[in-house]
Short mmCIF file of all heavy atoms in Angstrom, two decimals:
data_model
loop_
_atom_site.label_atom_id
_atom_site.label_comp_id
_atom_site.label_asym_id
_atom_site.label_seq_id
_atom_site.Cartn_x
_atom_site.Cartn_y
_atom_site.Cartn_z
N PHE B 67 -37.24 -33.02 -28.90
CA PHE B 67 -37.75 -31.82 -29.55
C PHE B 67 -38.09 -32.06 -31.02
O PHE B 67 -38.46 -31.13 -31.73
CB PHE B 67 -36.75 -30.66 -29.43
CG PHE B 67 -36.56 -30.16 -28.02
CD1 PHE B 67 -35.29 -29.96 -27.50
CD2 PHE B 67 -37.66 -29.90 -27.21
CE1 PHE B 67 -35.13 -29.51 -26.20
CE2 PHE B 67 -37.51 -29.44 -25.92
CZ PHE B 67 -36.23 -29.25 -25.40
N GLY B 68 -37.90 -33.30 -31.48
CA GLY B 68 -38.21 -33.64 -32.86
C GLY B 68 -37.38 -32.86 -33.86
O GLY B 68 -37.89 -32.36 -34.87
N GLN B 69 -36.07 -32.72 -33.54
CA GLN B 69 -35.19 -31.94 -34.41
C GLN B 69 -34.32 -32.85 -35.26
O GLN B 69 -34.05 -33.99 -34.88
CB GLN B 69 -34.27 -31.07 -33.54
CG GLN B 69 -34.99 -30.11 -32.64
CD GLN B 69 -35.19 -28.77 -33.30
OE1 GLN B 69 -34.51 -28.43 -34.26
NE2 GLN B 69 -36.16 -28.01 -32.81
N ASP B 70 -33.86 -32.31 -36.38
CA ASP B 70 -32.91 -33.01 -37.22
C ASP B 70 -31.55 -32.94 -36.54
O ASP B 70 -31.07 -31.84 -36.21
CB ASP B 70 -32.88 -32.35 -38.59
CG ASP B 70 -31.62 -32.72 -39.35
OD1 ASP B 70 -31.29 -33.91 -39.39
OD2 ASP B 70 -30.97 -31.79 -39.89
N LEU B 71 -30.94 -34.11 -36.28
CA LEU B 71 -29.71 -34.16 -35.49
C LEU B 71 -28.57 -33.34 -36.12
O LEU B 71 -27.79 -32.70 -35.43
CB LEU B 71 -29.27 -35.61 -35.29
CG LEU B 71 -28.31 -35.83 -34.13
CD1 LEU B 71 -28.96 -35.44 -32.81
CD2 LEU B 71 -27.84 -37.26 -34.08
N GLY B 72 -28.51 -33.35 -37.44
CA GLY B 72 -27.44 -32.63 -38.14
C GLY B 72 -27.44 -31.15 -37.84
O GLY B 72 -26.39 -30.51 -37.84
N SER B 73 -28.61 -30.59 -37.58
CA SER B 73 -28.62 -29.16 -37.27
C SER B 73 -28.73 -28.92 -35.76
O SER B 73 -28.22 -27.95 -35.23
CB SER B 73 -29.78 -28.46 -37.99
OG SER B 73 -31.02 -28.90 -37.46
N TYR B 74 -29.39 -29.86 -35.06
CA TYR B 74 -29.59 -29.66 -33.63
C TYR B 74 -28.30 -29.86 -32.83
O TYR B 74 -28.00 -29.12 -31.90
CB TYR B 74 -30.67 -30.60 -33.08
CG TYR B 74 -30.91 -30.40 -31.60
CD1 TYR B 74 -31.52 -29.23 -31.15
CD2 TYR B 74 -30.49 -31.33 -30.66
CE1 TYR B 74 -31.73 -29.01 -29.79
CE2 TYR B 74 -30.70 -31.12 -29.30
CZ TYR B 74 -31.32 -29.96 -28.88
OH TYR B 74 -31.51 -29.76 -27.54
N PHE B 75 -27.51 -30.86 -33.25
CA PHE B 75 -26.31 -31.19 -32.50
C PHE B 75 -25.33 -30.01 -32.43
O PHE B 75 -24.89 -29.63 -31.35
CB PHE B 75 -25.65 -32.44 -33.10
CG PHE B 75 -24.81 -33.18 -32.11
CD1 PHE B 75 -25.35 -33.63 -30.92
CD2 PHE B 75 -23.48 -33.44 -32.38
CE1 PHE B 75 -24.57 -34.30 -29.99
CE2 PHE B 75 -22.70 -34.13 -31.46
CZ PHE B 75 -23.25 -34.56 -30.27
N PRO B 76 -24.98 -29.39 -33.58
CA PRO B 76 -24.10 -28.21 -33.51
C PRO B 76 -24.76 -27.07 -32.72
O PRO B 76 -24.09 -26.40 -31.93
CB PRO B 76 -23.92 -27.78 -34.97
CG PRO B 76 -24.32 -28.94 -35.78
CD PRO B 76 -25.29 -29.74 -34.97
N TYR B 77 -26.06 -26.88 -32.89
CA TYR B 77 -26.77 -25.81 -32.19
C TYR B 77 -26.63 -25.96 -30.68
O TYR B 77 -26.23 -25.04 -29.96
CB TYR B 77 -28.25 -25.83 -32.59
CG TYR B 77 -29.10 -24.80 -31.88
CD1 TYR B 77 -29.21 -23.51 -32.39
CD2 TYR B 77 -29.78 -25.12 -30.71
CE1 TYR B 77 -29.97 -22.55 -31.74
CE2 TYR B 77 -30.54 -24.16 -30.04
CZ TYR B 77 -30.64 -22.89 -30.56
OH TYR B 77 -31.39 -21.95 -29.91
N LEU B 78 -26.93 -27.17 -30.20
CA LEU B 78 -26.85 -27.44 -28.77
C LEU B 78 -25.42 -27.31 -28.25
O LEU B 78 -25.17 -26.70 -27.22
CB LEU B 78 -27.37 -28.86 -28.48
CG LEU B 78 -27.17 -29.34 -27.04
CD1 LEU B 78 -28.15 -28.64 -26.11
CD2 LEU B 78 -27.31 -30.84 -26.94
N SER B 79 -24.48 -27.89 -29.01
CA SER B 79 -23.09 -27.92 -28.54
C SER B 79 -22.51 -26.52 -28.40
O SER B 79 -21.89 -26.19 -27.38
CB SER B 79 -22.21 -28.73 -29.49
OG SER B 79 -22.76 -30.00 -29.65
N ILE B 80 -22.72 -25.70 -29.43
CA ILE B 80 -22.18 -24.34 -29.37
C ILE B 80 -22.83 -23.59 -28.21
O ILE B 80 -22.16 -22.95 -27.39
CB ILE B 80 -22.42 -23.59 -30.69
CG1 ILE B 80 -21.70 -24.29 -31.84
CG2 ILE B 80 -21.95 -22.14 -30.59
CD1 ILE B 80 -22.14 -23.82 -33.21
N GLY B 81 -24.14 -23.71 -28.13
CA GLY B 81 -24.86 -23.02 -27.07
C GLY B 81 -24.41 -23.47 -25.69
O GLY B 81 -24.19 -22.65 -24.79
N TYR B 82 -24.23 -24.77 -25.53
CA TYR B 82 -23.87 -25.30 -24.21
C TYR B 82 -22.46 -24.87 -23.79
O TYR B 82 -22.23 -24.49 -22.64
CB TYR B 82 -24.01 -26.81 -24.19
CG TYR B 82 -23.81 -27.38 -22.80
CD1 TYR B 82 -24.76 -27.17 -21.82
CD2 TYR B 82 -22.66 -28.08 -22.48
CE1 TYR B 82 -24.57 -27.65 -20.54
CE2 TYR B 82 -22.47 -28.57 -21.20
CZ TYR B 82 -23.43 -28.35 -20.23
OH TYR B 82 -23.24 -28.82 -18.96
#
Side-chain angles (χ1 to χ4, degrees):
Chain B
F67 293 132
Q69 300 269 341
D70 161 48
L71 200 62
S73 67
Y74 181 70
F75 205 56
Y77 178 86
L78 172 74
S79 305
I80 298 166
Y82 187 70

